[in-house]
Amino acid sequence: MANKTQEDGGIHFPFPFTPYSIQKDFMAELYRVLDTGKIGIFESPTGTGKSLSLICGALSWLRDFEQKKHQEEARLLETGTVPLSDGKDQPPFLSSSCKETPDTLRPAGEPDWVTQFVQKKEERDLVDRLKEEQVRRKKREERLQQIRHNAQLKYAAKRMRREEEEMERLLHLSREMLAEGTGTEPLEQLVCGDEELVLAEYESDEEKGAARGVDEEEEEEDLEEEHVTKIYYCSRTHSQLAQFVHEVQRSPFGKDTRLVSLGSRQNLCINEDVKNLGSAQLINDRCMEMQRSKHEKSRAEDEKPKRRRQEHQTACPFYSYEQLQLLRDEVLVGVKDIEQLVSLGKEARACPYYGSRFAIPAAQLVVLPYQMLLHGATRQAAGIRLQGQVVVIDEAHNLIDTITGIYSAEVSGSQFCQAHSQLLQYMERYGKRLKAKNLMYIKQLLYLLEQFVTVLGGNIKQNPNTQSLSQTGTELKTINDFLFQSQIDNINLFKVRRYCEKSMVSRKLFGFTERYGTVLASSREQSRLAGFQHFLQNLQPALTETPVPHGDEGEARVPRSASPLMHIEGFLAALTTANQDGRVILNRQGSLSQSSLKFLLLNPAVHFAQVVKECRAVVIAGGTMQPVSDFREQLLACAGVEAERVVEFSCGHVIPPDNILPLVICSGPSSQQLEFTYQKRELPQMIFQEPKRANQVEQVLLEYSRCIKCCGHAGGAVTGALLLSVVGGKMSEGINFSDDLGRCVVMVGMPYPNIKSPELQEKMAYLDQTLPRIPGQPPPGKALVENLCMKAVNQSIGRAIRHQKDFASIVLLDHRYARPPILGKLPAWIRDRVEVKATFGPAFAAMRKFHRERPGPS
């Protein structure tokens, strides 16, 4: 496909084909948002080429921005002067690494010669930094250019890896020979003076460098480069990210863009011993432990040389300085998705997780999952710096729920009891070896766990499966009230949280419990631990006694479980949230094991505020973003974003107006008014229905598609297929029903959330208290319920149209859809064409006419 260059207002937008007019408008508005530092809410229906519009619009802006920056740098270096700001803003062309936070303001009445001297010094420092940045950039460009056009470098790296593997094999054989030789025969006594003739243990400079990870300053200089201005693109799932990367590869920017795909250790780890741990938390902890062992070994090798071989075994063989350098550059020379990155890491025997992280500073486009960008601690650990950068959040219709979910946590009574028992046994066994501070924090953790069980009405010393609670039901507390009721308000949870992070106590605890089945303990220890083993088995009888049915193998195969303390750490962190921004839900069921404590985040804006504060611009995009009032009020306004900074853009669809028939049907054939409320709803008999298990979705869709294809055969008895699914269920998102798979979408009733839910009621009350009441509008809490309902509707009906020649009818079966406030929450491309039918006859006639005028099954 030949590339086309489109121009809008003097801006050139390279595009793989002639874009739709709505794509031109999308790219032009996106360019303006990024150029002026706004917060943009962009809605582009599915099938309108949203991804390509985002790619070509954003990268066109980045191209022009970099060109302006280089021109400004060249002028500055030529003149040696820079127009210094008044302390509020830095020159716009500087990269994030060259920008500095403004110092304290100059004291009033300072002599002019002092001010001039300081300004001259700042100018000289700035020029020096720019020169250094140019040198680094030039080196990087030369290095990447060599890798692109000189295959010999790749072959040399492979040859070096083969040589290292051969040397390791020979060294292993030599050690085996030595072990065999010294096993039976005593060492020969050396004659005086012969010691000088015996070779000492040898380790080459290269081996020392690989073992130590090289000097920290050199590693920082070579691997940690300056952070260029870049675009962070994030979406919900890895499949969506992979699809976006493939779109970049096919775009006019595919060959020249430095793109890096980020993922979790669970997705990127190539160390089989670590990857087989299964649990993401265990993989993270084990990886960090191996890195810590490597750094501790480099510091202690002079003091304890005998421990070197033992510690070397705990270091990851894929964390090699030289290989990470090579992998970093390989990542930057060509656009690659996660799977390609993993394959490249295996070939280079270098860790894709760290290799991709080291590529972030020089990357122009960073592709990553929601959680990695929206979770502050994860963002910091990944080396992501948002200062002065651009963030694009795609598929953002559930952004508020995503942030709420990331920072919420729920722990069951059985998890509290299991963690307490594990930690108590750990303290009894190793208590005499622990320092005083370790003992103090472990005792604090034990006390916290005991109080959490007590507040639920249980006893920490008894089996949670057999404990019946006298009081059942759901109770909501403010954070402070919960801390007082649990009698833990005198414990500094910030320090406890910090201790858990730094000491990795949950990882130690997991290793401790794992060892019971493999380590031969003394008879005294066995008797002491026997009760603990029996207790743990009783906590999870289903896992140890119940066989897995053959048909449920795909669903039942779960990752290896981490220590419950790892999960509880998230709950402890949540309790450090400001009192007004969250609630604690005490959910007391029949037994302690079924009861739980849950933290509910009420104000997601508190965590999103840092993103919009640091970033140059933020784009929130999706196929169906209506109603956008939630984003404006709950997320942006509460995060401190001024209304003037927010820009909304919504485009129509690419299909002709006649290719869609949206109907609101208010009554059925018997003239009975259609109102599918909770009290009146009745479900019809299903044909194909949504499966209960996620691993059965593909099979149901396959049968549904096969049935539809049979309709095209002449003389066939089958005239169509009906697929019924639940709003918000397994079919609700991520599955395209294009062409004959979705010629008619019927929404039966309105999918309002459960108004009796304690979480929803608390959220409604919170919004009513914090958001201003707009005259003529429902209270914020009631508006939330309507918006949640219509977001679900829009997500469901918006997936029937997938491309320009597609067509479908959309039927909304409930008279409540005819109300103007509800119609106003539909996407514009549907809202402008909707027809309200008060009776069933005219609606049926319109449907029949619409589909008779369209071609049959293709």
Side-chain angles (χ1 to χ4, degrees):
M1 227 180 308
N3 291 339
K4 307 281 186 177
T5 301
Q6 301 298 317
E7 186 167 331
D8 187 285
I11 305 170
H12 297 278
F13 294 106
F15 214 77
F17 50 82
T18 303
Y20 303 125
S21 59
I22 60 175
Q23 289 178 311
K24 295 179 183 179
D25 297 340
F26 187 106
M27 291 187 291
E29 188 64 22
L30 176 63
Y31 191 105
R32 282 190 285 270
V33 166
L34 302 186
D35 206 41
T36 55
K38 302 288 188 180
I39 308 293
I41 302 176
F42 282 72
E43 181 181 53
S44 181
T46 304
T48 57
K50 169 171 59 70
S51 296
L52 263 180
S53 300
L54 281 170
I55 291 167
C56 297
L59 291 180
S60 294
W61 170 82
L62 185 61
R63 171 204 63 201
D64 295 345
F65 179 85
E66 289 180 343
Q67 184 178 359
K68 293 175 185 177
K69 174 191 170 186
H70 294 161
Q71 291 172 352
E72 288 287 341
E73 286 181 355
R75 184 197 62 78
L76 171 62
L77 294 175
E78 181 179 355
T79 61
T81 60
V82 59
L84 290 177
S85 65
D86 58 359
K88 296 180 180 178
D89 298 300
Q90 294 282 351
F93 54 81
L94 295 181
S95 68
S96 59
S97 62
C98 279
K99 293 185 180 180
E100 292 183 341
T101 55
D103 296 328
T104 54
L105 297 176
R106 307 269 190 272
E110 188 178 69
D112 292 341
W113 69 268
V114 174
T115 302
Q116 293 173 2
F117 174 81
V118 173
Q119 288 180 346
K120 290 293 183 183
K121 185 177 184 304
E122 290 179 353
E123 288 181 3
R124 289 194 301 270
D125 292 344
L126 183 55
V127 170
D128 290 340
R129 288 198 301 274
L130 286 176
K131 287 180 179 178
E132 293 174 2
E133 183 177 316
Q134 276 198 338
V135 170
R136 286 195 299 267
R137 184 167 64 238
K138 186 177 180 181
K139 285 183 178 179
R140 181 186 67 233
E141 291 172 354
E142 291 175 351
R143 192 173 66 243
L144 298 183
Q145 199 70 10
Q146 284 181 332
I147 293 178
R148 281 194 186 96
H149 303 291
N150 191 351
Q152 292 180 358
L153 290 176
K154 297 181 182 179
Y155 295 141
K158 291 181 181 179
R159 186 173 66 250
M160 183 177 67
R161 289 196 299 272
R162 287 197 296 267
E163 291 174 354
E164 290 176 352
E165 290 171 358
E166 179 65 14
M167 182 176 293
E168 185 64 30
R169 186 182 70 83
L170 293 174
L171 185 59
H172 180 70
L173 289 175
S174 300
R175 287 172 177 164
E176 286 183 347
M177 291 173 61
L178 287 173
E180 291 175 1
T182 58
T184 57
E185 300 179 3
L187 290 176
E188 183 179 347
Q189 188 69 28
L190 292 177
V191 180
C192 182
D194 279 357
E195 294 91 342
E196 298 177 1
L197 301 177
V198 179
L199 290 170
E201 183 175 354
Y202 176 75
E203 190 175 33
S204 66
D205 292 340
E206 291 82 1
E207 290 169 330
K208 290 179 180 177
R212 292 195 191 100
V214 188
D215 184 81
E216 292 182 1
E217 294 182 1
E218 182 181 353
E219 184 173 342
E220 182 179 354
E221 178 183 348
D222 288 340
L223 289 179
E224 285 294 333
E225 300 185 22
E226 44 98 6
H227 281 244
V228 302
T229 301
K230 60 176 54 58
I231 298 166
Y232 287 98
Y233 171 90
C234 62
S235 191
R236 191 173 58 88
T237 66
H238 283 286
S239 61
Q240 291 169 341
L241 294 173
Q243 183 178 353
F244 179 82
V245 172
H246 296 157
E247 290 283 356
V248 175
Q249 291 172 331
R250 292 192 289 264
S251 77
F253 297 91
K255 294 183 179 179
D256 301 322
T257 300
R258 299 190 301 275
L259 179 148
V260 57
S261 297
L262 299 182
S264 64
R265 288 181 174 90
Q266 195 171 24
N267 289 311
L268 291 176
C269 180
I270 58 175
N271 187 326
E272 291 300 325
D273 292 337
V274 178
K275 193 174 181 65
N276 287 338
L277 292 173
S279 163
Q281 186 65 53
L282 291 178
I283 292 174
N284 289 340
D285 287 347
R286 178 60 180 148
C287 177
M288 290 186 288
E289 188 178 78
M290 295 173 83
Q291 301 311 313
R292 180 181 296 180
S293 297
K294 177 178 71 70
H295 291 301
E296 288 177 352
K297 177 177 68 64
S298 65
R299 291 194 301 266
E301 62 178 357
D302 292 334
E303 301 174 5
K304 299 180 179 179
K306 294 182 180 179
R307 294 176 55 193
R308 184 180 306 163
R309 184 177 302 172
Q310 181 181 357
E311 290 180 352
H312 179 69
Q313 295 173 355
T314 64
C316 181
F318 301 101
Y319 194 92
S320 164
Y321 168 70
E322 291 84 0
Q323 299 309 118
L324 283 175
Q325 271 191 316
L326 177 65
L327 182 60
R328 174 199 63 186
D329 294 340
E330 286 280 3
V331 167
L332 293 172
V333 296
V335 175
K336 301 171 184 66
D337 61 19
I338 289 290
E339 287 73 19
Q340 293 168 326
L341 177 59
V342 170
S343 299
L344 189 62
K346 290 179 179 178
E347 180 183 350
R349 290 190 59 80
C351 175
Y353 177 77
Y354 283 101
S356 59
R357 280 179 55 180
F358 290 141
I360 292 175
Q364 297 167 307
L365 180 58
V366 179
V367 179
L368 68 165
Y370 270 179
Q371 289 79 0
M372 193 170 288
L373 182 126
L374 297 174
H375 191 262
T378 305
R379 187 167 67 235
Q380 183 178 2
I384 296 170
R385 301 179 187 176
L386 297 182
Q387 189 66 45
Q389 309 291 15
V390 170
V391 163
V392 176
I393 303 175
D394 201 1
E395 301 298 332
H397 56 273
N398 60 348
L399 179 60
I400 296 176
D401 292 338
T402 299
I403 300 175
T404 301
I406 289 174
Y407 289 95
S408 296
E410 184 172 12
V411 186
S412 67
S414 61
Q415 288 174 315
F416 285 128
C417 290
Q418 187 175 2
H420 184 276
S421 182
Q422 291 177 356
L423 196 59
L424 184 62
Q425 295 288 334
Y426 179 87
M427 186 183 70
E428 289 178 354
R429 182 166 185 178
Y430 300 117
K432 294 181 180 179
R433 297 174 177 267
L434 299 177
K435 300 293 185 181
K437 277 197 173 181
N438 275 317
L439 277 176
M440 178 193 74
Y441 279 112
I442 287 178
K443 289 181 179 180
Q444 284 190 342
L445 284 170
L446 287 169
Y447 177 75
L448 288 170
L449 296 172
E450 182 176 356
Q451 293 307 111
F452 291 151
V453 170
T454 302
V455 80
L456 283 173
N459 188 328
I460 197 70
K461 297 178 181 180
Q462 298 177 9
N463 190 322
N465 289 321
T466 59
Q467 288 192 60
S468 298
L469 303 184
S470 58
Q471 179 184 356
T472 60
T474 301
E475 186 180 3
L476 280 88
K477 297 282 185 181
T478 66
I479 299 175
N480 287 345
D481 287 345
F482 173 77
L483 297 180
F484 283 119
Q485 182 177 345
S486 304
Q487 298 180 6
I488 59 173
D489 53 295
N490 59 333
I491 294 180
N492 190 326
L493 293 179
F494 291 93
K495 288 187 175 181
V496 173
R497 174 186 177 185
R498 183 72 173 170
Y499 170 77
C500 292
E501 292 174 356
K502 290 299 182 180
S503 67
M504 299 177 67
V505 61
S506 57
R507 169 64 197 174
K508 303 291 185 185
L509 196 58
F510 176 79
F512 170 71
T513 55
E514 283 254 300
R515 193 166 298 177
Y516 285 143
T518 57
V519 175
L520 295 176
S522 65
S523 58
R524 183 172 60 87
E525 289 173 332
Q526 287 178 346
S527 62
R528 189 171 64 182
L529 300 177
F532 174 52
Q533 291 176 334
H534 179 70
F535 176 70
L536 292 183
Q537 291 173 358
N538 288 338
L539 287 180
Q540 297 175 320
L543 296 180
T544 57
E545 300 173 7
T546 306
V548 179
H550 178 72
D552 298 341
E553 286 181 357
E555 188 78 10
R557 191 179 296 115
V558 296
R560 188 172 164 193
S561 177
S563 166
L565 187 60
M566 296 178 181
H567 189 57
I568 294 168
E569 286 177 8
F571 181 71
L572 292 175
L575 292 180
T576 62
T577 305
N579 184 58
Q580 69 274 13
D581 293 332
R583 297 291 184 270
V584 179
I585 303 174
L586 290 78
N587 183 22
R588 300 184 179 94
Q589 298 297 324
S591 66
L592 176 60
S593 62
Q594 296 174 332
S595 302
S596 64
L597 295 179
K598 180 178 180 179
F599 175 81
L600 174 66
L601 179 68
L602 295 177
N603 182 17
V606 71
H607 296 288
F608 195 64
Q610 197 66 23
V611 175
V612 295
K613 179 182 178 181
E614 293 183 359
C615 289
R616 171 194 179 93
V618 176
V619 174
I620 304 172
T624 50
M625 299 296 288
Q626 295 292 336
V628 298
S629 57
D630 284 356
F631 297 101
R632 277 188 168 272
E633 297 168 7
Q634 294 184 43
L635 204 58
L636 300 178
C638 291
V641 178
E642 300 85 358
E644 297 76 21
R645 194 186 173 194
V646 181
V647 175
E648 289 183 29
F649 175 85
S650 180
C651 63
H653 216 295
V654 295
I655 59 171
D658 295 338
N659 279 26
I660 182 175
L661 178 65
L663 296 175
V664 173
I665 302 181
C666 300
S667 60
S670 62
S671 300
Q672 176 68 39
Q673 187 181 59
L674 298 177
E675 184 177 346
F676 292 91
T677 59
Y678 181 83
Q679 295 81 6
K680 300 178 182 179
R681 65 178 180 174
E682 293 181 0
L683 296 179
Q685 183 65 32
M686 302 182 189
I687 301 171
F688 298 100
Q689 69 180 50
E690 179 180 286
K692 294 182 179 179
R693 295 190 180 276
N695 60 349
Q696 298 173 345
V697 170
E698 187 174 348
Q699 181 63 28
V700 172
L701 288 176
L702 185 64
E703 294 174 3
Y704 173 69
S705 304
R706 188 183 297 120
C707 180
I708 290 175
K709 289 180 181 179
C710 293
C711 299
H713 299 161
V718 179
T719 59
L722 181 65
L723 174 67
L724 287 93
S725 59
V726 180
V727 174
K730 298 176 183 64
M731 299 282 189
S732 64
E733 203 172 327
I735 302 175
N736 297 335
F737 294 94
S738 61
D739 299 323
D740 293 337
L741 295 181
R743 290 305 184 201
C744 180
V745 178
V746 181
M747 285 295 300
V748 181
M750 299 187 70
Y752 279 105
N754 181 10
I755 196 66
K756 297 181 180 179
S757 163
E759 291 95 332
L760 182 58
Q761 290 181 349
E762 193 67 21
K763 181 74 174 181
M764 292 171 63
Y766 173 80
L767 293 178
D768 287 338
Q769 293 171 4
T770 56
L771 295 182
R773 176 75 181 269
I774 301 176
Q777 298 292 327
K782 184 178 179 182
L784 168 69
V785 175
E786 286 191 352
N787 290 346
L788 289 174
C789 170
M790 292 310 296
K791 280 183 183 294
V793 170
N794 294 340
Q795 277 298 303
S796 299
I797 66 179
R799 291 179 301 132
I801 303 295
R802 311 306 296 181
H803 54 83
Q804 189 178 22
K805 296 182 180 180
D806 207 354
F807 66 91
S809 56
I810 298 173
V811 180
L812 305 176
L813 284 180
D814 200 302
H815 76 95
R816 292 172 293 175
Y817 282 111
R819 293 175 5 218
I822 298 298
L823 287 176
K825 297 180 187 295
L826 290 171
W829 63 278
I830 296 178
R831 180 177 64 241
D832 297 340
R833 305 172 191 179
V834 72
E835 299 178 18
V836 177
K837 303 294 184 180
T839 57
F840 184 80
F844 182 78
M847 286 274 294
R848 182 170 55 185
K849 180 176 182 296
F850 176 82
H851 286 283
R852 280 186 172 178
E853 293 176 351
R854 301 297 178 281
S858 55

